[in-house]
Structure formats: C-alpha cells, structure tokens
Amino acid sequence: MASAISYELFTAKRGAADGIASLDIDSKIPLSQLPDIAIDSYKGQFADTAALIAAYPTGELSDYAYVTATNSYWYWNAALASPAWVNQQITEADYIALSTAEKAGVPYIVIS
C-alpha cells in the first residue's frame, strides 16, 4: 500500500511547480522546469569570440558563454569603461594570491 501511495504522490508532483523535476529522453531536466536564472545567464557555446559577439553584442550582469576556440568561459563585464565580453582565465597560483575580497569579485577558470 505504501508503494502505491508513494508512486501516486511522485506522479502528481513530477514536473509540477514546487514538485519533482522530470527527465527528458536524454536524462536531463527539461528547460521548461529550470528557473530563468539557470537559463538566461548562460548564453551557449560559440566557435569563437566573433560568433559570441555577433550573437550577443551586449550582455547583462552574470551572463557567460563558452568559446571553443579559447577552450574557456567568457563573461560580460559591465564595469569596464567600454563594457565587453572578457575571458578571465588565471592560473591557480595567481588566484590563490588574490585577497578574499578580490576572489569574491573574480569569476575564474584555473589553467595549468
């Protein structure tokens, strides 16, 4: 009896607001069940920076994309005098040398 109730509860909650996410055929959560922040910030994968800039000439705080030509993530930096997409790759040693406050403000990718 408990399994039938559990199954009914699972079925009722699957894919519903405040419920349990379902999985698609590729075993991934469908985009329709993810919060906007999980989708809107990531702009996708681009072959090179020219393709990224062509698709998104401007951005918003927290926007990022993956560029295969540089094998790295790029972030929109609105704090620059001329806002732009920036590749913030730093070595692990350079990251460790930053102060706590600097680390909090730097999205980074560690490279060897």
Side-chain angles (χ1 to χ4, degrees):
M1 184 71 123
S3 349
I5 293 170
S6 297
Y7 180 76
E8 288 176 12
L9 180 61
F10 171 75
T11 303
K13 294 275 189 180
R14 186 178 53 206
D18 270 344
I20 302 166
S22 61
L23 300 177
D24 64 14
I25 195 164
D26 296 319
S27 298
K28 296 182 180 177
I29 298 173
L31 292 178
S32 63
Q33 294 178 29
L34 293 173
D36 290 340
I37 189 72
I39 301 166
D40 292 345
S41 293
Y42 180 64
K43 298 306 179 189
Q45 182 172 320
F46 298 88
D48 53 34
T49 55
L52 169 60
I53 293 166
Y56 295 96
T58 63
E60 300 287 330
L61 180 65
S62 81
D63 283 352
Y64 68 103
Y66 187 79
V67 175
T68 54
T70 61
N71 195 32
S72 62
Y73 288 92
W74 287 66
Y75 301 86
W76 181 253
N77 188 338
L80 299 174
S82 296
W85 288 99
V86 295
N87 179 352
Q88 296 190 348
Q89 284 190 328
I90 63 174
T91 65
E92 185 172 13
D94 288 341
Y95 180 74
I96 290 169
L98 296 175
S99 71
T100 303
E102 290 171 324
K103 286 178 184 176
V106 176
Y108 74 99
I109 306 293
V110 174
I111 57 174
S112 304

